[in-house]
Amino acid sequence: MRADPITATCYTGIYPGRADQVSHVRRAMSRHLAGCPAADDAILVVSELASNAVVHSSSQGQFFTVRAERHPGYIWVEAEDLGGPWRCRRRDGRPHGLDVVEALTGPDGWGVETTTGGRRVVWARLDLV
């Protein structure tokens, strides 16, 4: 029996809760996902998740964590923020943050979980096939 040569690779980064850090997240994801067929979509998704952490949570001015796992059949990305009330924008008829995430992953390809410590983890899965 032959073992699959592709194994999961993981990335974790902790970033200051500032808007200028989203470009650092994109660069880190570009390096981590280099050569992966869904890299562009995953980078856009994690960029949206990081932006939401900075703009719409208690991570603003504090910190947030980004994680990515590259598996043989899919990419898993998530952003963990410090929780708190989501600061929602008024609807303007254009897709924003999580609308973009859902367009790329489908309605069952992303979700939001709250940790026992009150932090929020927003995750997304992008299939490679």
Side-chain angles (χ1 to χ4, degrees):
M1 180 190 273
R2 185 172 165 248
D4 189 339
I6 301 173
T7 59
T9 61
C10 301
Y11 170 83
T12 300
I14 300 172
Y15 296 88
R18 300 188 319 258
D20 67 336
Q21 295 301 300
V22 176
S23 64
H24 295 282
V25 170
R26 282 193 296 268
R27 277 195 295 278
M29 289 299 101
S30 292
R31 286 189 300 273
H32 179 68
L33 300 173
C36 183
D40 289 343
D41 287 349
I43 292 164
L44 178 56
V45 167
V46 80
S47 177
E48 292 295 338
L49 301 184
S51 295
N52 283 348
V54 171
V55 174
H56 300 294
S57 81
S58 295
S59 285
Q60 187 176 47
Q62 299 294 318
F63 68 92
F64 65 97
T65 303
V66 170
R67 295 180 194 88
E69 296 177 4
R70 182 176 169 178
H71 295 271
Y74 66 94
I75 298 171
W76 180 276
V77 294
E78 63 185 40
E80 181 177 346
D81 63 43
L82 297 178
W86 253 340
R87 298 175 186 102
C88 297
R89 292 184 185 172
R90 286 188 296 163
R91 290 289 197 191
D92 60 7
R94 298 179 306 142
H96 291 278
L98 296 177
D99 299 323
V100 173
V101 172
E102 186 166 315
L104 293 170
T105 65
D108 298 326
W110 71 279
V112 181
E113 298 173 8
T114 303
T115 69
T116 55
R119 293 181 180 192
R120 185 173 28 245
V121 177
V122 184
W123 58 268
R125 177 186 164 127
L126 293 104
D127 291 326
L128 299 177
V129 286

